[in-house]
Amino acid sequence: QLRALAGVLDSLERKNLTLAAAAQNNAALLKRFDVLFDWATALAADPKAKGATNAIRLLGRQPEREAADLVLLTRLLEPTVPVQSQKVALEMLKRNRSPQAATLLLTNWDRFALSLHPAVIEVLLSREDWTKQLLGALESGAIGRNEIPLANRQLLLKNPNKEIQHAAETILKSSSSNRAEVVKKYESALTLPGDPVKGRTTWVNNCVVCHYFRGEGANVGPNLGALTEKTPADFLADILDPNAV
C-alpha cells in the first residue's frame, strides 16, 4: 500500500495535481491516506525495518508534514543508516523544493560520512537557490572548498546563471592561492611511519568515491594502482594541491 501510494503521488505530480485536490470529494479516502502517511513516518524512523524504503518515499510529500519529514530525511543520511535507505532519503530530498531541505543538509554536513558528501553536493547543485546556499557555506568556511569534486567545480564555474558563475569564480579561485603554504604545513607527515590499517580507513572514507584501487572505487580520478612511481611527497602535493598539475 505504501508503494502504491507513492506511485499515485508520482502520477499526480506529473500532472501538477495534489492528493487533496484529486480526492477532494472523498473524505474517507483522504482519511485512509492520512493513516498511511502516519504509518510511513513511524516505519521510516526505523530504517532497518522491512519496507522502510517504501515508507521513506512518502516523506516530504504532504504539505502539513513537510517540515518534520525533511528533518527525518536528513537524519536518515547519518552513517548508521543502511546505504539503500540513505540513497532513497537523498532522492526524496532532491525532489523537494523547500529551502529548508538545503539548509538542513548544510547544517548537518559534519554528521554525514565523508563518502556521502559528493552525493549531498549533487543534491545541493540541483536547484539554483540551493546552489547559492552551498556557495555561501563555502565562502563562510562551513564546507571546505577542497571538498567540492573537480567535476562539480567545473559545473559551478560554467553555470549559465552569471551570478552563480561569478560567485564560484571568486570563492573557488581564491582557495588555490595558499595551497603551497598548506603543503608545507603537512610536510612533517612524510617522516611518520605508514599504517596500512589506518590508511585503509582513510581510503574508504575519503578516496574510494573517486579513485580505483585493487578492485574497489570509481574511475573519476586517477587509478591509484597505476601510480607506482609516485613518492610520498608526490602524493602529499597531489592530495593537498590537486590543481597544481
Side-chain angles (χ1 to χ4, degrees):
Q1 291 182 59
L2 296 176
R3 187 164 55 244
L5 179 55
V8 169
L9 291 170
D10 289 343
S11 297
L12 291 173
E13 285 178 10
R14 286 193 290 270
K15 298 177 182 179
N16 292 319
L17 291 173
T18 65
L19 190 63
Q24 60 182 332
N25 296 320
N26 194 330
L29 184 59
L30 285 173
K31 187 174 181 180
R32 177 60 180 163
F33 287 152
D34 283 338
V35 172
L36 288 175
F37 280 115
D38 287 339
W39 183 27
T41 301
L43 188 57
D46 181 10
K48 296 180 181 179
K50 182 179 179 181
T53 53
N54 289 322
I56 295 170
R57 287 190 172 91
L58 292 180
L59 296 180
R61 307 185 73 171
Q62 203 177 30
E64 58 269 31
R65 303 170 185 257
E66 184 180 49
D69 282 356
L70 289 176
V71 172
L72 177 53
L73 284 168
T74 307
R75 277 177 35 214
L76 292 172
L77 301 180
E78 295 180 1
T80 56
V81 175
V83 172
Q84 184 57 31
S85 293
Q86 289 182 342
K87 182 179 178 181
V88 177
L90 268 177
E91 289 175 2
M92 300 315 299
L93 284 164
K94 186 174 183 178
R95 71 190 297 166
N96 193 276
R97 296 179 180 276
S98 170
Q100 184 191 4
T103 301
L104 285 167
L105 287 174
L106 292 169
T107 302
N108 291 277
W109 178 262
D110 290 335
R111 299 177 65 178
F112 305 145
L114 291 175
S115 58
L116 191 66
H117 283 179
V120 174
I121 289 170
E122 290 285 347
V123 172
L124 292 169
L125 291 175
S126 65
R127 300 189 186 282
E128 281 193 355
D129 54 333
W130 295 2
T131 299
K132 292 176 182 177
Q133 286 184 255
L134 172 61
L135 288 170
L138 288 169
E139 188 173 26
S140 69
I143 293 179
R145 294 172 173 94
N146 62 338
E147 294 185 78
I148 306 299
L150 182 59
N152 295 135
R153 286 174 177 246
Q154 295 302 318
L155 287 175
L156 285 167
L157 293 170
K158 296 178 181 179
N159 196 290
N161 183 313
K162 295 301 181 184
E163 180 185 352
I164 290 176
Q165 185 184 119
H166 292 156
E169 288 174 353
T170 301
I171 294 167
L172 295 177
K173 290 185 177 179
S174 67
S175 68
S176 62
S177 60
N178 64 345
R179 287 289 90 192
E181 295 177 17
V182 175
V183 173
K184 188 169 183 62
K185 175 182 175 182
Y186 282 91
E187 279 182 345
S188 60
L190 298 174
T191 64
L192 300 173
D195 185 331
V197 176
K198 290 182 179 178
R200 174 163 178 74
T201 300
T202 300
W203 153 258
V204 170
N205 289 336
N206 294 275
C207 316
V208 73
V209 294
C210 289
H211 294 282
Y212 183 86
F213 183 63
R214 293 184 179 175
E216 291 182 294
N219 289 312
V220 178
N223 181 334
L224 299 186
L227 306 179
T228 55
E229 296 181 0
K230 289 269 190 180
T231 66
D234 291 331
F235 279 115
L236 181 73
D238 288 346
I239 292 170
L240 296 179
D241 190 9
N243 292 332
V245 290

